[in-house]
């Protein structure tokens, strides 16, 4: 396998089921054979990262659209059983298996020479840890990392990985610009899941969160600061865009929330993302030259 974009980092923002919109971007990149050699993602962005690296247009969409039609996907009855509103163990560790309905092409993923970074938030220390392909030997390794990055507090149980407990990497901001810069990149293609001009507001129900997670002060502190970190990252990206060093893909309109599970709404979200990506692909090529 070969890649053809070497001087630009591809970064996927998280956003839960808003990732259905992003899936249209993933498939437009793949259909146009735009293959980045560096990919970073957090939370739902980690799923996009690995699906993109496996070059699987079917799974890129189905993981955020058709998967909700699986009766074991989740819902309140699973939530009250302690398995999560989104059944993360089932979604990330069972559905990608070769014999399952949505198998993941692990061999193609491993053959892809691109660098991968997936961010997961360590609950006890409050540190964002980035995993890479060096941490992956098996499909189970990979999907456990993706699950760790995507374990949304309250709606999913935390994930134990390498004797550490992880929750959604979005708690540390949600956009993996920091690691791409650390790895030496100065040019960025960033796929966002909020409209242009969006800014995150401070978390509500802070007293409730402090009570629920009183054993994990570092996690609570990150929750309280998340909006500042996220907004500063957006401002930095906008500065980079003005300097010609970043291409920021925004939804024209984000029609769903991060917890949407209605198939028809997700299908519509995918279609909107795909159509906008198709309109912009020539601009992408000019930026990447």
């Amino acid at each position: 396998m070969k890649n053809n974009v070497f001087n630009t980092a591809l970064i996927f923002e998280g956003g839960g089921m808003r990732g259905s919109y992003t899936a249209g971007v993933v498939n437009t990149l793949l259909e146009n054979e735009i293959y980045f050699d560096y990919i970073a993602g957090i939370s739902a962005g980690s799923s996009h990262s690995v699906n993109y690296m496996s070059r699987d247009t079917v799974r890129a969409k189905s993981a955020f659209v058709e998967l909700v039609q699986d009766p074991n996907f989740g819902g309140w009855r699973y939530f009250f059983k302690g398995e999560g509103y989104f059944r993360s163990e089932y979604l990330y560790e069972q559905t990608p298996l070769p014999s399952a309905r949505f198998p993941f092409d692990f061999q193609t993923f491993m053959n892809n020479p691109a660098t991968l970074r997936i961010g997961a938030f360590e609950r006890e220390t409050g540190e964002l840890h980035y995993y890479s392909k060096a941490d992956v030997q098996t499909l189970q390794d990979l999907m456990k990392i993706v699950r760790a990055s995507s374990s949304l507090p309250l709606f999913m149980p935390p994930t134990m990985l390498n004797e550490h407990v992880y929750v959604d990497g979005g708690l540390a901001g949600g956009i993996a610009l920091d690691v791409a810069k650390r790895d030496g990149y100065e040019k960025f293609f960033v796929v966002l899941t909020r409209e242009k001009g969006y800014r995150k507001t401070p978390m509500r129900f802070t007293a409730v969160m402090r009570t629920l997670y009183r054993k994990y002060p570092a996690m609570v502190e990150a929750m309280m600061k998340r909006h500042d970190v996220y907004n500063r990252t957006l401002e930095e990206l906008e500065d980079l865009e003005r300097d010609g060093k970043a291409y920021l893909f925004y939804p024209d309109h984000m029609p769903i929330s991060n917890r949407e599970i209605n198939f028809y709404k997700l299908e519509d979200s995918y279609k909107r993302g795909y159509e906008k990506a198709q309109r912009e692909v020539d601009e992408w090529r000019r930026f990447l030259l």
Side-chain angles (χ1 to χ4, degrees):
M1 291 179 67
K2 294 183 179 179
N3 296 312
N4 51 29
V5 180
F6 297 99
N7 66 340
T8 304
L10 172 60
I11 299 174
F12 290 111
E13 181 183 9
M17 300 311 289
R18 290 194 294 268
S20 55
Y21 197 103
T22 302
V25 181
V26 174
N27 280 349
T28 299
L29 288 168
L30 293 175
E31 290 167 4
N32 285 273
E33 298 183 350
I34 300 173
Y35 301 136
F36 288 79
D37 200 51
Y38 183 98
I39 304 100
I42 292 174
S43 191
S46 67
S47 290
H48 290 306
S49 297
V50 301
N51 288 332
Y52 171 80
M53 285 183 63
S54 72
R55 299 188 181 177
D56 188 340
T57 57
V58 173
R59 196 175 198 280
K61 178 187 175 187
S62 64
F64 287 91
V65 180
E66 284 82 5
L67 188 56
V68 299
Q69 295 181 311
D70 186 324
N72 297 309
F73 178 83
W76 291 114
R77 69 188 179 99
Y78 290 109
F79 176 83
F80 289 116
K81 287 169 62 178
E83 298 179 35
Y85 184 78
F86 301 105
R87 295 182 69 212
S88 54
E89 191 277 333
Y90 175 75
L91 296 175
Y92 294 103
E93 299 187 50
Q94 294 187 39
T95 64
L97 296 175
S99 60
R101 184 180 173 190
F102 304 101
F104 180 81
D105 188 345
F106 183 68
Q107 193 58 57
T108 299
F109 168 84
M110 291 300 289
N111 288 342
N112 193 323
T115 297
L116 173 69
R117 299 286 184 259
I118 292 178
F121 185 91
E122 190 174 351
R123 186 177 65 180
E124 274 72 20
T125 64
E127 295 180 358
L128 183 66
H129 182 88
Y130 281 101
Y131 284 90
S132 71
K133 279 184 71 176
D135 301 298
V136 176
Q137 301 297 321
T138 66
L139 174 62
Q140 289 73 23
D141 293 338
L142 177 64
M143 290 305 166
K144 181 73 82 169
I145 291 169
V146 174
R147 178 186 172 188
S149 179
S150 308
S151 295
L152 185 66
L154 294 180
F155 290 93
M156 295 179 182
T159 300
M160 175 70 77
L161 176 62
N162 298 330
E163 299 183 356
H164 296 272
V165 178
Y166 291 95
V167 294
D168 195 297
L171 265 66
I175 304 173
L177 177 63
D178 57 337
V179 71
K181 290 168 55 183
R182 192 184 314 155
D183 287 336
Y185 283 82
E186 298 180 351
K187 192 174 179 182
F188 312 93
F189 187 101
V190 187
V191 184
L192 300 164
T193 58
R194 296 285 197 172
E195 297 94 336
K196 187 172 184 177
Y198 171 82
R199 290 295 186 270
K200 196 174 290 294
T201 57
M203 186 181 69
R204 299 186 298 166
F205 311 115
T206 55
V208 173
M209 292 300 178
R210 290 187 185 280
T211 300
L212 284 174
Y213 297 110
R214 58 188 177 278
K215 295 181 180 179
Y216 313 110
M219 178 178 168
V220 173
E221 186 69 15
M223 287 179 166
M224 302 303 156
K225 293 180 177 178
R226 183 187 179 196
H227 66 288
D228 283 332
V229 175
Y230 180 86
N231 293 341
R232 284 199 302 270
T233 302
L234 280 182
E235 289 163 7
E236 183 176 358
L237 285 172
E238 289 167 357
D239 287 341
L240 288 165
E241 183 182 43
R242 282 189 286 269
D243 291 339
K245 296 179 180 180
Y247 188 104
L248 307 183
F249 178 93
Y250 298 98
D252 283 334
H253 168 67
M254 176 50 65
I256 59 171
S257 75
N258 63 340
R259 297 186 295 277
E260 183 60 65
I261 59 172
N262 181 286
F263 168 78
Y264 298 102
K265 291 181 179 180
L266 293 167
E267 180 75 43
D268 176 68
S269 175
Y270 171 83
K271 181 180 177 182
R272 290 171 184 248
Y274 182 79
E275 290 175 347
K276 185 171 195 290
Q278 292 290 313
R279 294 195 300 270
E280 292 191 16
V281 69
D282 289 338
E283 294 180 51
W284 302 354
R285 292 188 186 280
R286 285 191 289 271
F287 174 75
L288 294 171
L289 286 176

